Amino acid sequence: MDIKAQLLQLKEEIKKEVQGIFDEKVLNEIKVKYLGKKGLITSALKSLGSLSPEERKEVGQLANSIKEFLEETLKAKQEEIEKKKLEEILRKERLDISLPAEWFEPSASHPVLTTLKEITEIFKSMGFTVESGPEVEYEDYNFTMLNIPEHHPARDMQDTFYTSNGMLLRTHTSPVQIRSMLKKKPPFAIVAPGRVYRKDMDPTHSPMFHQIEGLMVDKNVSFKDLKGILKIFLENIFGNNIPIRFRPSYFPFTEPSAEVDVGCTVCKGKGCRVCKNTGWLEILGCGMVDPNVFKAVGIDPEEYTGFAFGLGIERIAMLRYQITDIRLLFTNDLRFNLQFRGIE
Ligand code: DAH
């Protein structure tokens, strides 16, 4: 067969071969087979040298036209494959917007979190900034620098979770007072909400619970300021006409110290089980920062004074929502949790 006939045959072969191919890899193989360095068309073009000048022109034109034909065919095929791929993707990813939506159970914000956020917001509105500290704390920050002596019962293994490396799970948020005073220069006013841990478990105690700590340090801060701030806070939480009383108390890190009670929200002061017939509910501890605490963090107690307070979030949440067992707050029973839907 002469070279012309061979080339024409090649063209027919190409047509057949390309038909029905929908795979890019196979398409590439065909390209190499005909147009590659050792490809059939390439070698045909190379062998032109052995022909007479007229033949060479004719065969050369033919070979080039086949080459063009092949290139165009491959290009068209390539486009066809890409179009098919796109169609496939569009088909698979099509959304049927007429399908009914999946039902999601509306969730509820946890009453502890709702209460914690609300309390924090009240103090923020009075200019307090929010600080935080770690839950695994140094014994020094949790006790020593807060003027809690070495043999204080709170330090006992019975009450405190100690970690194996000589640290502990903070038993209150008060160590954030120490951290803030080491970090900041007075004047400042901070609140520190967070989790605390104690070895305690009954209807009103949980081994993990939440507190919020408050601390204000400036020149001439007085007990009057403390009373004013706490009054505004308690009225925001319990309502404007809530009776409030300050009762002398003792905390190692404040002097003088007080506990604050509000009139029982359940019996309105008449006496009931919740207030143990006293008509009062104990809400928080507070006092003026003890000079020893100032000395421990390098603040001059002659120049500065301050007040501090601390309260348990769960207790407030339980009073507000009439929850009688603290453990209900931590069992993640949806029948309990979903009762608080829409409350935040
Ligand atoms: N840290 C105390 C506790 O956990 C609460 C407390 C009392 C915090 C008096 C204070 C304070 O800042 O002044 O029982």
Side-chain angles (χ1 to χ4, degrees):
M1 214 194 300
D2 73 353
I3 187 160
K4 230 171 103 180
Q6 268 182 29
L7 280 170
L8 288 170
Q9 199 184 340
L10 211 59
K11 187 171 175 179
E12 289 312 308
E13 271 174 32
I14 290 170
K15 272 190 201 164
K16 268 195 226 143
E17 213 166 333
V18 172
Q19 254 175 22
I21 287 175
F22 288 104
D23 185 324
E24 273 177 310
K25 218 175 109 204
V26 181
L27 214 58
N28 247 325
E29 281 165 17
I30 294 177
K31 207 172 181 174
V32 175
K33 178 174 168 194
Y34 292 98
L35 300 173
K37 261 194 197 145
K38 291 182 184 152
L40 293 172
I41 295 179
T42 320
S43 8
L45 282 166
K46 272 186 198 153
S47 64
L48 289 181
S50 60
L51 301 175
S52 72
E54 293 90 63
E55 272 181 321
R56 199 182 300 159
K57 192 175 165 207
E58 197 192 344
V59 176
Q61 271 171 1
L62 180 62
N64 272 324
S65 80
I66 292 175
K67 190 178 166 190
E68 263 170 43
F69 165 76
L70 178 59
E71 279 167 350
E72 270 163 28
T73 310
L74 290 175
K75 194 169 154 228
K77 202 73 201 177
Q78 176 78 29
E79 280 165 10
E80 200 182 325
I81 289 174
E82 268 160 28
K83 202 172 140 214
K84 277 241 155 54
K85 258 203 223 160
L86 186 66
E87 276 168 7
E88 177 76 4
I89 290 172
L90 289 177
R91 194 177 55 76
K92 271 196 195 148
E93 293 185 356
R94 202 178 64 189
L95 292 177
D96 184 350
I97 55 168
S98 70
L99 281 175
E102 238 178 86
W103 170 251
F104 285 99
E105 186 84 59
S107 66
S109 176
H110 195 280
V112 169
L113 205 60
T114 308
T115 308
L116 186 143
K117 275 189 193 155
E118 195 177 324
I119 295 176
T120 308
E121 282 309 314
I122 296 171
F123 284 107
K124 272 167 79 177
S125 78
M126 293 191 275
F128 285 71
T129 56
V130 180
E131 288 289 318
S132 64
E135 289 168 32
V136 178
E137 189 52 284
Y138 298 114
E139 194 170 355
D140 265 5
Y141 288 6
N142 194 83
F143 292 130
T144 320
M145 292 166 88
L146 284 165
N147 200 35
I148 301 174
E150 191 93 32
H151 299 291
H152 193 280
R155 294 205 188 202
D156 200 285
M157 298 276 286
Q158 295 275 318
D159 302 308
T160 302
F161 292 104
Y162 286 89
T163 64
S164 53
N165 60 352
M167 295 179 82
L168 46 75
L169 297 188
R170 66 179 179 189
T171 59
H172 51 181
T173 42
S174 303
V176 187
Q177 285 191 37
I178 300 296
R179 289 180 175 271
S180 302
M181 288 191 278
L182 288 173
K183 201 168 69 183
K184 291 175 180 292
K185 271 202 168 343
F188 58 80
I190 61 116
V191 283
R195 292 193 184 102
V196 301
Y197 303 83
R198 285 181 203 175
K199 290 189 178 171
D200 241 345
M201 180 89 156
D202 64 39
T204 53
H205 294 92
S206 153
M208 185 283 297
F209 60 105
H210 297 74
Q211 285 189 335
I212 187 163
E213 191 79 13
L215 173 69
M216 182 186 276
V217 182
D218 198 352
K219 290 178 178 158
N220 303 318
V221 173
S222 69
F223 204 94
K224 199 168 66 184
D225 300 314
L226 171 62
K227 278 184 95 168
I229 295 278
L230 289 181
K231 186 171 183 310
I232 293 172
F233 160 64
L234 293 168
E235 286 181 345
N236 263 281
I237 285 287
F238 293 108
N240 270 336
N241 301 316
I242 188 89
I244 300 170
R245 78 174 181 193
F246 282 69
R247 202 162 25 80
S249 185
Y250 173 78
F251 298 102
F253 30 90
T254 42
E255 182 57 38
S257 302
E259 275 173 295
V260 179
D261 303 336
V262 297
C264 181
T265 50
V266 179
C267 63
K268 306 279 175 261
K270 289 194 198 78
C272 68
R273 240 181 42 198
V274 177
C275 61
K276 297 189 186 106
N277 282 318
T278 62
W280 294 95
L281 297 166
E282 187 189 311
I283 294 297
L284 57 84
C286 62
M288 301 306 292
V289 178
D290 192 291
N292 283 337
V293 175
F294 276 145
K295 281 181 207 151
V297 294
I299 291 179
D300 181 0
E302 298 298 324
E303 194 180 355
Y304 290 102
T305 52
F307 66 70
F309 58 87
L311 64 137
I313 307 291
E314 280 76 4
R315 179 157 169 79
I316 308 271
M318 286 169 79
L319 284 172
R320 292 182 87 193
Y321 305 121
Q322 276 119 54
I323 302 164
T324 47
D325 191 327
I326 196 171
R327 291 168 292 197
L328 283 167
L329 293 168
F330 303 117
T331 40
N332 286 332
D333 184 336
L334 281 181
R335 290 169 304 177
F336 173 79
N337 291 12
L338 290 179
Q339 293 179 69
F340 299 94
R341 224 182 245 159
I343 269 178
E344 71 269 24

